[in-house]
Amino acid sequence: MLAGLLLVSIAAVSWGTTGATMALLARGASADPLLVGVMRLAVASPVLVVIARILEGPLRVVSPGAAVLAGLCMSAYQVCYFLAVPRSGVALTALVAICSAPLMIAVMAAAGLGERLTARIAVSLVAGVAGTALLVLGPRAIGELTPRLLGGVALALGAGFSYALYAVVTKRGLAGAPPGREGGPLGLAAVTFTIAAAALVPSVGLAEGALGDQLRRGWPLFLYLGVVPTALAYALYTSGLSRVPATAAGIATLLEPLTATALGVVAFGESLGARGAIGAALLLGALLLVMAPTRGDAR
């Protein structure tokens, strides 16, 4: 199980660079948030196909229905998250989406996958979600509640739900798919992201601004976003998810906001604050707890 958690954790650290990349795209290319979501899928899809073909051979999934549903969930996540950001802000959107997802995964995994919520996982879940909340808020105040802000929160919850459903459906789709063989986790990720990209590309017309100019000015960052924290990260995540319970993987992905906060402090001069420091300690404790070996762990 430890190997799987390490793969998920590496993926989460990579995801943590997404916020900084978005900030650079907004600063240097005035990139529309929705265009960012579309481009990360459009770039990631062919990269995942190549990786899967090299490591697992011809693309084949054990459960085509799961791949289609997971792809639609991933595209819905992009739309909800990136439409929420201009309404509720980066911090609050991340707080709601990232904190709600592990809770939803735990409920869905218990109901749909038969996973048992042990006392250790429950404590890790509570500590991880609380730590993430404190970490994302840091010294910031949420602000007054307005209809626009509440709409953003609703979209962020939609993003959390979409990601949670993606994780549980992908976990179910991985049943009976051994790593490194035809029909394995990389093939499932490739098919899933191809479906997600196809579903989301038509929404490019909703993006604001001159798209050609945004792509020309921001193409190196778009390329990085699609290849590293999307294609490679989700290849690692899906491979790790095939080895661990969905609930444990959901907790490990909370490394994402920890990485994002660290980058904000080091690269952008942001302040962590007392709440952020406490949140980081809680989050690290939760991750260490869920990764601690137990009797019966075979891998």
Side-chain angles (χ1 to χ4, degrees):
M1 183 168 123
L2 182 59
L5 285 173
L6 286 174
L7 289 174
V8 173
S9 297
I10 294 171
V13 169
S14 179
W15 292 335
T17 66
T18 301
T21 305
M22 284 184 62
L24 293 174
L25 278 168
R27 180 187 302 172
S30 301
D32 180 84
L34 187 58
L35 178 64
V36 175
V38 174
M39 287 304 301
R40 71 181 301 195
L41 294 184
V43 172
S45 171
V47 175
L48 280 167
V49 169
V50 171
I51 293 173
R53 287 297 303 271
I54 292 173
L55 298 179
E56 293 180 351
L59 295 183
R60 185 180 69 84
V61 294
V62 175
S63 176
V68 171
L69 182 53
L72 294 177
C73 287
M74 181 52 63
S75 61
Y77 171 81
Q78 306 298 323
V79 172
C80 288
Y81 190 90
F82 289 110
L83 288 181
V85 167
R87 291 168 172 79
S88 54
V90 174
L92 185 56
T93 298
L95 171 64
V96 174
I98 294 174
C99 289
S100 65
L103 294 172
M104 295 179 186
I105 289 174
V107 173
M108 292 181 188
L113 301 175
E115 293 186 4
R116 188 167 63 92
L117 191 62
T118 64
R120 184 177 71 155
I121 291 295
V123 171
S124 298
L125 189 61
V126 172
V129 171
T132 303
L134 291 171
L135 189 65
V136 174
L137 284 176
R140 296 177 288 270
I142 293 177
E144 297 180 0
L145 296 178
T146 63
R148 180 176 174 82
L149 181 117
L150 292 175
V153 169
L155 285 166
L157 282 172
F161 175 81
S162 299
Y163 178 80
L165 186 57
Y166 160 82
V168 173
V169 169
T170 299
K171 178 65 177 177
R172 180 177 287 278
L174 288 169
R181 299 183 186 177
E182 185 179 336
L186 297 178
L188 177 59
V191 173
T192 294
F193 272 78
T194 300
I195 293 170
L200 201 57
V201 164
S203 67
V204 169
L206 299 176
E208 298 178 358
L211 302 184
D213 185 58
Q214 293 177 42
L215 293 174
R216 180 184 60 79
R217 293 162 60 191
W219 71 264
L221 292 173
F222 281 122
L223 187 63
Y224 167 78
L225 187 62
V227 173
V228 180
T230 308
L232 297 181
Y234 273 96
L236 292 173
Y237 172 78
T238 309
S239 297
L241 187 61
S242 67
R243 308 179 185 200
V244 298
T247 303
I251 296 171
T253 58
L254 292 174
L255 266 173
E256 177 184 352
L258 184 61
T259 304
T261 301
L263 281 174
V265 171
V266 174
F268 295 96
E270 296 179 359
S271 174
L272 188 62
R275 285 185 300 188
I278 295 171
L282 277 173
L283 183 51
L284 287 173
L287 293 169
L288 290 174
L289 183 59
V290 79
M291 288 183 172
T294 58
R295 247 185 253 177
D297 284 347
R299 45 186 171 164

